[in-house]
Amino acid sequence: MTIKSLLPLIAATLVCGGSVFVEARQPKPTTAVVKPKVSQPKLPATVVKPKVSQPVQPKWKLYTAPDGRFSILMPGNPNRNTQYQKTYMGEITLQIFVAQPPKQQVAYVVAYNDFPYSYGQVTDPQALLNNARDMALKTTKSNLISQRNIRSSNNHPGKEIEYINSGGKITRSRMYVAEGRLYQVMAITTKKQQKTLAKTITGYLNSFHVVLKKPDNFGF
């Protein structure tokens, strides 16, 4: 198995279809009209107005990964999911963190997987990023809107891509390779919601920070 056959497993788990995207549906308000009884004097009809709930604004706060290796602003505590994939390098563990604010058609996702030390050292980071891009587009049957090479806040190589699938869902993703680990930071939304949340999504992506591992202390 090559890296091209490994990354589809990662990409498909993260962004295929609606696995991490749930559309929020507003309930249709109903109006109840109380009619007067015929036998009694005619009274004006009483209209019971439905209660209109205001959209709940999420409370953004800094979230730090359980292993302390990354931090990011999230709209509440994300749900964590662990999945395992068997590869020629052995079993790969995929960690996925998903937050979905109520009544908003958007999902904020952070995921990562570690590569064996020797493999991460000899593989070109740009090759990993390019393959991650290609497999994300392939598995979601999406069209690429834009892409650019980026760097993390502490100078790790990365790539930002934006793409749209046949259902009209837009994904904006930033991927980084850092210390033998592939990070994917995504916001998945609709065209309509993307316009209203553009600044919020940019702030979310900008807040991602890779925390460097501390060197082992052998007492020297």
Side-chain angles (χ1 to χ4, degrees), residues 27-138:
K28 294 182 179 180
T30 57
T31 302
V33 179
V34 180
K35 295 182 179 180
K37 294 182 178 180
V38 177
S39 59
Q40 293 185 1
K42 204 169 184 180
L43 299 173
T46 303
V47 178
V48 180
K49 295 182 178 179
K51 294 182 179 180
V52 180
S53 58
Q54 296 296 325
V56 179
Q57 296 299 324
K59 294 181 179 179
W60 289 80
K61 59 183 180 180
L62 188 66
Y63 176 78
T64 301
D67 66 355
R69 295 278 301 279
F70 76 82
S71 63
I72 191 170
L73 287 174
M74 277 282 196
N77 288 322
N79 293 321
R80 182 184 179 186
N81 180 263
T82 302
Q83 297 197 16
Y84 304 95
Q85 302 287 358
K86 292 183 178 180
T87 74
Y88 76 101
M89 296 178 292
E91 191 172 66
I92 294 292
T93 302
L94 180 69
Q95 300 288 349
I96 309 171
F97 305 82
V98 183
Q100 292 181 272
K103 300 185 184 299
Q104 289 188 12
Q105 297 178 328
V106 62
Y108 298 97
V109 185
V110 179
Y112 70 80
N113 67 280
D114 290 310
F115 295 108
Y117 177 80
S118 58
Y119 184 85
Q121 292 297 306
V122 300
T123 305
D124 178 15
Q126 283 301 326
L128 288 171
L129 294 168
N130 289 339
N131 281 320
R133 173 204 60 204
D134 294 344
M135 293 307 124
L137 296 175
K138 180 179 179 180

Side-chain angles (χ1 to χ4, degrees), residues 8-30:
L9 300 176
I10 299 170
T13 303
L14 299 179
V15 295
C16 262
S19 58
V20 297
F21 185 88
V22 178
E23 293 187 0
R25 292 180 174 83
Q26 296 284 356
K28 294 182 179 180
T30 57

